[in-house]
Amino acid sequence: MSKRTIIEPFRIKSVEPIKVNTREERVNLLETAKLNVFKLRAEDVLLDWLTDSGTGAMSSAQWAAIMLGDESYAGAKSFYKLKEVLADVTGMEHFIPTHQGRAAEKVLFGAVCKKGDIIPNNCHFDTTRGNLEFLEVEAVDLVIKEGLQPSTIHPFKGNIDLERVEELLKKESGRIPFGMITITNNTGGGQPVSMANIREYSQLLKKYNKPLIMDVCRFAENAMFIKMREPGYEQKSIKEICRETFSYADGATMSAKKDGMVNIGGFIVLRTDQWLDNVREMLILSEGFITYGGMAGRDLEALAVGLQEGMDEDYLRYRLRTAEYLGERLEAVGIDFVKPTGGHAVYIDAKSVLPDMPIEQYPAWSLCNALYIEGGIRSVEIGSVMFGKRLPDGTETYHSMELVRLAFPRRMYTQSHFDFAAETIAELKANAKKIRGVRITKQAQFLRHFTAEFNWV
Ligand code: F0G
C-alpha cells in the first residue's frame, strides 16, 4: 500500500464561506449563549463538529437528482427508484420512508412493541432508548466489556456480548419481540461490529425464534472497518460486505442523515410482511402516505444517489482516515481519546486535558467552551451535563466519563481544518490552567444539556 497521504477524493464545485470571529467576539457570543454551545448561531461557528447528522455536503449528482423528484402524493416514481436501490443493497422487499431515524424507530416500535417488553442491543442510541422507554419497553445495552473501556484497543469494540444475550434470552424470551444491533455503535464511540459477531448474534436469535433488527445509520462505515480489519474480507467490495451484513437482518431502521449522505431522511426496511400492515398504519398516522412517509420526492431521489456514493471505497477510506489522522495528532501531544478512533467522530477524554479540574466544574463541558473560544470549534459534551442529574435534594450525580465528541460532517472539511483543530487542542492542553470551569444556573428536568444555562466558576 502506498504511504502517500490519503486525499479527499473530490474537488469543490460550490463553496460556503465561514466567518472568522475574533477571540474577544467569541467570548461575548458564548456568554450571550449562557456558556452553552447549543445556543450559538451556526454562523458564528468556524468548524461545526456538533454532529455528523444531516450536516454533510451533497454531490453534484445528488443536486441534479433533486430536479427529478416526483412529488405525487401516491405512487411517486421517486419512491420506486429508491425502493429498488434499497432492495439491491439490503435484499429486503418492503421499504417504508420516514423523515429521519427517530421517526423510523417510533413507527416500528409503536407497531411491534408493547409495555413490559425487553430489547437487547449493543448500545441503544438515545432516541432509540427514548422511543422504547416511552412505550415502557426496557432497552438493555449488552456491548462487550472492551466497548466500555476508552483506552483498550480492540478492532470491533461495537460487538455485542453474545453470552449475556443468551442469558437474557434464556431468562426472558417471552418478553423479547426482537433483538437489535447498532452499526456502528455511536454511543460507544462510533465503533464497528464485526461480521462474525453479526452472524453469530443472528443465529442465536434465530435459535429462540427472534428477528434481528439493525440500526444501520453508519452501515457503510461499518463495512469499511470490516474490509480493513476482519480476515477474509480484504478482497470483497463494500457492496458485497453490506449485502452480507443485511443478509443476517430481518429488518432495519436508518437515519439517512448519516451514510445516506443527505440532509434529511430515514426509513424502515423489512424482509417479510409480518409487521407491514401495523407499520404502515403507524406511518400514515404520524409521517405520511406509504410511498413518501416523511420525505419529499426530491429527498427520495437524493437518497437513492447518496446511498450508493456512501458505499464508495475511496470515499470511505478517506472518511475513516480523517478521524484516525486527528487521533494521531492528539496522541502526539499526549491527549487521550476513545481508541481506536471510530468512523464518524473523535471522542476526547477531557480529564487528560484538564486533570486538575474538579468534576463539579464539568471538565468536558468546560473543554467544549474553550474549544469554541480559542478555535471557533463547536463540539458536544458527553459527560456529566448530558448524563448527570440534579436530585430533588439539590445534590448532583455525575457520569463515569467526561468526553468531548468532535463529529465530522461528510465531505465538508479538508485536512487543513483538521490540522487547525489539532493545533487548537494542543494549545489548550498547554494552557489548561487558564481554562475556566462552569456551574449550572438553570436546567430542565430532561435532556438538560440542550437548554441549560451556566456561569463561569
Ligand atoms: N440511531 C443512531 C445510531 C444515531 O446515531 C442517530 C442519530 C439516530 C438513531 C437517530 O436518527 O437523528 O435521524 O432521528 N444520531 C445523531 C448524532 C443525532 O448526532 O449522533 P435521527
Side-chain angles (χ1 to χ4, degrees), residues 51 100-102 105 125 127 186 215 217-218 255 258 405:
T51 175
Q100 61 184 82
R102 66 199 70 185
E105 293 160 2
F125 180 67
T127 60
N186 183 11
D215 176 340
C217 294
R218 300 176 182 86
S255 166
K258 283 81 169 176
R405 181 182 85 166

Side-chain angles (χ1 to χ4, degrees), residues 97-100 264-266 283 286-289 292-296 299:
T98 62
H99 80 275
Q100 61 184 82
I264 193 74
L283 187 81
S286 66
E287 287 285 293
F289 184 66
Y292 73 87
M295 290 166 82
D299 298 335

